Each structure stands twice: as C-alpha cells, then as structure tokens.
Amino acid sequence: HLNAYDYAAALAVAKPIQALLNPQSIALLESAKMRVELNWKSIHPTRKLELGLPLHAEEHTNIAEYLLWLQMKQQRGDYSDFLRGLTPGLFALCKIAVEEKAGYPLSKYCDKYGRFKRSKMLEDEMGMEIISMLEGPFQKPVSGFLISSHYVGILKEKYLHTAWAKPLILLREIEEKIRNAAAHTITRVDEQWIQNECKLERNKNQASSDQIAYTINQWMQDLYPVSSEKIMRLIKTAVHELNNGQTGKPLSKLDIHWGAYDLMNQKIEAALAGL
C-alpha cells in the first residue's frame, strides 16, 4: 500500500494491529493520509517537521503540495484524476509566470469571484495593454472568468521563446485537447487514450502566416506521442525554469522536493521497523 501511495488502505491495515506497532508509525500514516488528501495544514507540527513541511502556510506551499499530489496520481496510474487535476495546477503555474515573473497582474482586474471587469481594465495603462494583447484584431472582448488561456495569451505574445513560458504553453495545448474528454469519459483512461486524444495533424505544408501558431504546432510535433510521463516532465520543467529563468522579474522560489512522497514512505517504513 505504501508503494502505491495508498495511505488510507495502509492505515486500515495498521489500525487493527496498532498495539503491536510503533505509535510513531500510526501517526505518520495518519499524516500521510492527510497529506494525500491535500489537508497538510491539519498535520501535527511535529509530523510536519519530520516530513519537511512548513509549520505555517508559506508562499507557494499549497501549489507545491498540489503538484506533488499530481505526480503521485501519475505514478499510480490514476490518469483520470491526473488529467482532471491538470487544470488547476496549470492555472496556478500560469498565474505565477504571468503575474509574478512577467509582471502582468490580471487578477487585479477581476471581481471577488474571478470575473474580468473590463471597465476597470480601461482605467489604466496596464489594463489597456492587457486588453490589446488578449483581444487583438480578431478576438472577442475580454470577459468572463480568468482562466489559464488568458495567462497563456500573454505568454504567447510577450514570452513565446523563453524557457519558462514554453512548457506552460505546451501544457495548455494538451489540457485543451483532453480536459473535457477526461472529465466526461466513462471508459478506461490509459496511456493509449492520452495519445489518441492528443493526435496531431501532421501537415508539413502548413502556412506560416501565423508564426506563433506555427511555432507551437512544431513544438507539439516534437512532443508527440504525448504521454502522462511527458506531461509530468513539462510540469517539472516549468517549475525549474520559473525558479531559474533570467528573463522576467525575480521570483519567490517555488520549492518542490519531487521525491517527498518516497521520503515520507521511507520514514513510515523505518517507524514500522522500529528504527
């Protein structure tokens, strides 16, 4: 159960025999179960320190824990959850990229529900610049809820060739292809399903009049065939490049130890062994 990151099942097995086990192992299993349920804030401070979690919410901690949860879902083969979970994870990364690194505070121009207030955008120079980038000559007026596509629109216009924007743009392309299908399919979602949903039209004679679209299509061609592993790799690349990219404003580091769940398992196993 530990190897499968199924802490609820591991705890269910341990509870009936907890009198035979090191109490610390039960406490760690309970903490692991809370962590995988994205309830890390409720973990006892002592256990937080053991697991390398901050005692209090720090900047980007929720995002880091969410991306670790996504990685766990991918490693377990829970592809439906992984693909559905891609949307909020991508939104969080895009917000960091555009608002913190690029310096375009799109959320500033939204109401408390996250919907754009175009009248507010028309009040200052930054808002007008955002409108010009998101609307262009043939786009609809900016309206509705702020979503990843708005952030990616800024990245395409201003930061297309930066190492930290590319993986986010690719993730948005993939998410757009699979999000609705993954949310509504009632059949098995596996690697073949992902590959089929992300099929590309290989048109070598595609006109290059829209250079941005042409560039992104070429990137997708290089990525094909798409797999859950490649999607996860794009997420890790985005985090690395956001932390280390020289272009853009300095960023409060998105600190993620990608082996955190395996380290947690090792601590639980050591406790079970009485070490």
Side-chain angles (χ1 to χ4, degrees), residues 1-11 29 32-33 35-37 68-78 258-266 268-269:
H1 292 313
L2 288 178
N3 290 337
Y5 309 108
D6 192 343
Y7 303 108
L11 193 59
L29 279 171
K33 181 176 179 290
R35 188 178 195 177
V36 84
E37 292 170 350
L68 286 172
W69 177 87
L70 267 186
Q71 178 184 237
M72 178 272 297
K73 288 293 181 179
Q74 187 271 327
Q75 290 175 335
R76 282 186 59 171
D78 291 343
W258 293 106
Y261 274 53
D262 292 326
L263 183 62
M264 182 166 64
N265 283 355
Q266 291 171 18
I268 295 170
E269 289 169 7

Side-chain angles (χ1 to χ4, degrees), residues 66-90 171 174-175 178-179 182-183 189-191 193-194 198 226-236 258:
Y66 187 83
L67 296 181
L68 286 172
W69 177 87
L70 267 186
Q71 178 184 237
M72 178 272 297
K73 288 293 181 179
Q74 187 271 327
Q75 290 175 335
R76 282 186 59 171
D78 291 343
Y79 299 126
S80 291
D81 286 349
F82 173 66
L83 297 176
R84 286 192 293 263
L86 183 60
T87 297
L90 176 59
L171 284 167
I174 293 168
E175 184 219 14
I178 63 178
R179 178 189 56 215
V189 175
D190 56 16
E191 294 288 4
W193 185 94
I194 295 171
C198 294
V226 177
S227 66
S228 69
E229 184 181 353
K230 287 182 180 179
I231 294 171
M232 196 63 229
R233 201 181 306 153
L234 284 172
I235 293 172
K236 291 182 179 181
W258 293 106

Side-chain angles (χ1 to χ4, degrees), residues 62-275:
N62 284 333
I63 299 171
E65 284 298 302
Y66 187 83
L67 296 181
L68 286 172
W69 177 87
L70 267 186
Q71 178 184 237
M72 178 272 297
K73 288 293 181 179
Q74 187 271 327
Q75 290 175 335
R76 282 186 59 171
D78 291 343
Y79 299 126
S80 291
D81 286 349
F82 173 66
L83 297 176
R84 286 192 293 263
L86 183 60
T87 297
L90 176 59
F91 179 84
L93 287 174
C94 286
K95 184 175 182 179
I96 290 173
V98 174
E99 299 211 6
E100 295 183 34
K101 199 160 186 72
Y104 290 95
L106 271 66
S107 58
K108 170 187 169 185
Y109 300 100
C110 296
D111 62 20
K112 64 180 181 179
Y113 302 108
R115 293 176 300 204
F116 276 113
K117 293 184 67 175
R118 198 170 191 279
S119 58
K120 192 173 183 179
M121 301 176 78
L122 294 169
E123 292 176 355
D124 61 44
E125 188 175 330
M126 175 66 76
M128 292 289 289
E129 183 182 358
I130 291 171
I131 285 177
S132 68
M133 286 189 285
L134 294 182
E135 292 186 357
F138 306 110
Q139 302 295 322
K140 295 179 181 179
V142 177
S143 62
F145 288 95
L146 172 58
I147 58 176
S148 296
S149 62
H150 295 117
Y151 286 127
V152 170
I154 303 292
L155 296 180
K156 288 178 180 178
E157 287 294 323
K158 285 284 191 177
Y159 297 93
L160 183 67
H161 295 291
T162 59
W164 49 270
K166 179 178 177 179
L168 296 175
I169 292 170
L170 284 170
L171 284 167
R172 172 58 186 167
E173 292 290 312
I174 293 168
E175 184 219 14
E176 200 169 23
K177 290 176 182 289
I178 63 178
R179 178 189 56 215
N180 289 335
H184 295 95
T185 187
I186 57 174
T187 57
R188 174 179 168 80
V189 175
D190 56 16
E191 294 288 4
Q192 188 60 52
W193 185 94
I194 295 171
Q195 184 176 326
N196 291 341
E197 289 296 321
C198 294
K199 273 185 177 175
L200 297 170
E201 295 296 328
R202 292 176 172 269
N203 184 3
K204 294 183 179 179
N205 297 318
Q206 178 185 355
S208 58
S209 55
D210 184 346
Q211 193 59 48
I212 293 176
Y214 181 77
T215 298
I216 294 170
N217 184 69
Q218 293 300 113
W219 290 347
M220 287 296 292
Q221 297 277 2
D222 294 339
L223 192 66
Y224 191 81
V226 177
S227 66
S228 69
E229 184 181 353
K230 287 182 180 179
I231 294 171
M232 196 63 229
R233 201 181 306 153
L234 284 172
I235 293 172
K236 291 182 179 181
T237 299
V239 170
H240 175 79
E241 295 298 342
L242 282 170
N243 283 334
N244 297 287
Q246 298 301 309
T247 306
K249 296 183 178 181
L251 186 70
S252 176
K253 191 171 183 180
L254 182 52
D255 193 16
I256 304 179
H257 174 33
W258 293 106
Y261 274 53
D262 292 326
L263 183 62
M264 182 166 64
N265 283 355
Q266 291 171 18
K267 289 181 181 292
I268 295 170
E269 289 169 7
L272 287 167
L275 302 176

